């Protein structure tokens, strides 16, 4: 195992003797993703490799492996569930996923959606199989269980639309991780999470048979992705958000009643989190605090300091000083 830039880890089955490779790979996947039962016709000399990029709570990786069957059983889920959504771009090979509610075949240029919380069997064929994959905590993409079932197993084309946007991001990131610094990790996570949210919203809205509450949840996800993408814009307000989505401001506020925060409070929290990341980034140590505050929608220094202290219990200046001292 080697560790490189961007908190990148590289695993190869060839790092251990041939007789141990399949068990090594099974244990590795259990530690880096979730415990699984694996089956393969190549257990005597299993060949696989994987590069894992840690982006904070979000994980991206590229894998090449011989044909496998991945199984998540109810027992394994009870033992350990990281509660993540798993999205795989199929580069080479084919296969199928089987859940209680759905069976889906996949081929190259498909994006395959799974969940660590649902029992499933995933069959991969091809020699080798190649994927670029992404794991996102469910807490970042809250969906009720019945809606999650509508997302999981959906096959999305990576040739156009939302699937193509996500696939382009993943393939470019995995192709050249050396272009990024460790301090870029949270920024990359804030780019990819709205892409996944927008993809989920697209899938939910595409089903005309869904009940109204499902369409409402899809709209909320799309609005949240829009907010994340426009945090820099000083004109981002409930009124402009509502106008961009062709709804009334009052309806927008109703959508956010279940988010434990008003629309304005949700925007303020995301902006404070972004400002906090920049303040504690050693690469930005020379950037004035007021410039960072303005960049994230706080043009008045007193307003920024007051909001920051309320959120984090300290001033922006003291927080930056303490964080930078830890990096020295």
């Amino acid at each position: 195992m080697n560790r490189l830039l961007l908190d990148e880890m590289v695993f190869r089955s060839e790092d251990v003797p041939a007789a141990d490779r399949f068990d090594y790979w099974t244990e590795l996947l259990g530690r880096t993703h979730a415990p699984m039962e694996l089956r393969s016709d190549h257990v005597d000399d299993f060949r696989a490799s994987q590069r894992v990029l840690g982006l904070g709570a979000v994980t991206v990786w590229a894998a090449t492996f011989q044909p496998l069957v991945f199984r998540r059983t109810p027992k394994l889920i009870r033992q350990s569930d990281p509660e993540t959504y798993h999205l795989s771009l199929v580069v080479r090979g084919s296969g199928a996923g089987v859940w209680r509610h759905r069976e889906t075949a996949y081929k190259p240029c498909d994006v395959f959606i799974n969940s660590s919380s649902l029992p499933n069997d995933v069959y991969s064929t091809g020699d080798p199989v190649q994927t670029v994959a992404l794991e996102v905590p469910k807490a970042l993409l809250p969906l009720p269980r019945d809606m999650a079932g509508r997302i999981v197993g959906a096959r999305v084309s990576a040739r156009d639309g939302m699937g193509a946007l996500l696939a382009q991001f993943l393939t470019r990131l995995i192709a050249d991780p050396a272009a990024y610094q460790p301090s870029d990790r949270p920024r990359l996570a804030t780019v990819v999470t709205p892409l996944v949210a927008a993809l989920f919203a697209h899938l939910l809205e595409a089903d005309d048979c869904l009940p109204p509450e499902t369409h409402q949840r899809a709209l909320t996800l799309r609005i949240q992705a829009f907010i994340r993408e426009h945090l820099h814009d000083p004109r981002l307000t409930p009124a402009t958000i509502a106008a961009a989505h062709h709804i009334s401001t009052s309806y927008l506020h109703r959508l956010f009643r279940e988010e434990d925060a008003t629309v304005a409070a949700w925007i303020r929290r995301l902006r404070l989190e972004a400002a906090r990341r920049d303040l504690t980034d050693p690469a930005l140590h020379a950037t004035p605090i007021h410039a960072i505050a303005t960049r994230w929608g706080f043009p008045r220094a007193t307003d920024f300091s007051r909001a920051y202290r309320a959120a984090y219990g300290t001033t922006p200046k003291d927080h930056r000083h303490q964080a930078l001292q830890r990096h020295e």
Side-chain angles (χ1 to χ4, degrees):
M1 178 186 78
N2 300 317
R3 186 178 292 272
L4 306 171
L5 291 179
L6 256 192
D7 198 23
E8 180 181 358
M9 295 180 292
V10 180
F11 301 93
R12 302 180 183 89
S13 62
E14 288 86 349
D15 291 339
V16 300
D20 299 330
R21 288 172 182 169
F22 189 74
D23 290 340
Y24 167 74
W25 201 252
T26 301
E27 180 184 356
L28 168 67
L29 294 185
R31 286 190 284 112
T32 57
H33 307 296
M36 286 176 277
E37 294 179 2
L38 301 185
R39 300 198 306 271
S40 175
D41 294 332
H42 304 274
V43 295
D44 292 337
D45 185 10
F46 186 71
R47 302 299 179 96
S49 64
Q50 181 169 281
R51 296 165 53 217
V52 182
L53 300 178
L55 307 180
V58 177
T59 304
V60 176
W61 73 90
T64 301
F65 52 91
Q66 291 180 296
L68 275 173
V69 177
F70 305 85
R71 171 170 287 179
R72 281 280 283 167
T73 65
K75 181 179 179 180
L76 289 174
I77 293 170
R78 289 193 298 270
Q79 290 175 353
S80 176
D81 183 7
E83 297 191 355
T84 56
Y85 288 114
H86 176 118
L87 296 89
S88 293
L89 168 65
V90 183
V91 178
R92 181 175 177 179
S94 60
V98 180
W99 298 265
R100 291 173 179 169
H101 69 292
R102 178 180 286 165
E103 180 173 343
T104 304
Y106 59 88
K107 61 185 185 303
C109 288
D110 283 342
V111 175
F112 184 70
I113 303 174
N114 205 348
S115 165
S116 65
S117 306
L118 296 178
N120 62 81
D121 288 359
V122 178
Y123 301 85
S124 298
T125 60
D127 199 0
V129 179
Q130 290 181 280
T131 63
V132 179
L134 167 73
E135 278 188 354
V136 183
K138 291 182 176 181
L140 298 181
L141 300 161
L143 284 174
R145 182 176 294 274
D146 60 333
M147 294 187 199
R150 299 178 190 274
I151 292 292
V152 170
R155 191 182 66 195
V156 180
S157 173
R159 298 183 186 277
D160 50 38
M162 299 305 305
L165 285 177
L166 180 62
Q168 289 167 10
F169 176 87
L170 293 177
T171 52
R172 289 176 182 175
L173 175 62
I174 208 71
D176 189 17
Y180 307 94
Q181 298 298 321
S183 56
D184 291 322
R185 285 182 293 168
R187 301 187 188 102
L188 292 168
T190 60
V191 172
V192 71
T193 302
L195 287 177
V196 178
L199 173 62
F200 283 9
H202 171 77
L203 292 173
L204 290 172
E205 289 179 330
D207 188 345
D208 293 334
C209 297
L210 297 180
E213 59 269 20
T214 300
H215 288 289
Q216 290 172 7
R217 185 60 196 156
L219 177 59
T220 302
L221 284 172
R222 183 153 53 87
I223 290 170
Q224 289 173 345
F226 177 88
I227 290 172
R228 291 180 186 274
E229 292 169 4
H230 293 83
L231 281 178
H232 284 294
D233 189 346
R235 297 167 298 179
L236 185 68
T237 65
T240 60
I241 294 168
H245 292 85
H246 309 290
I247 59 175
S248 68
T249 305
S250 60
Y251 184 61
L252 173 68
H253 288 304
R254 287 203 300 274
L255 290 175
F256 271 72
R257 283 177 185 169
E258 297 183 2
E259 303 304 314
D260 297 324
T262 63
V263 180
W266 211 79
I267 295 171
R268 183 170 60 251
R269 177 174 62 81
L270 292 181
R271 283 177 163 168
L272 284 170
E273 290 173 355
R276 185 186 189 191
R277 287 194 297 270
D278 283 359
L279 287 171
T280 57
D281 185 347
L284 300 176
H285 72 280
T287 305
I289 291 177
H290 69 83
I292 290 175
T294 301
R295 175 188 302 164
W296 292 111
F298 295 95
R300 292 169 54 90
T302 53
D303 292 343
F304 177 60
S305 183
R306 187 182 305 111
Y308 202 93
R309 180 186 287 276
Y312 302 117
T314 185
T315 65
K317 181 178 179 180
D318 288 345
H319 196 173
R320 170 183 253 185
H321 179 71
Q322 294 167 7
L324 295 181
Q325 274 190 325
R326 290 194 294 270
H327 286 93
E328 292 178 354

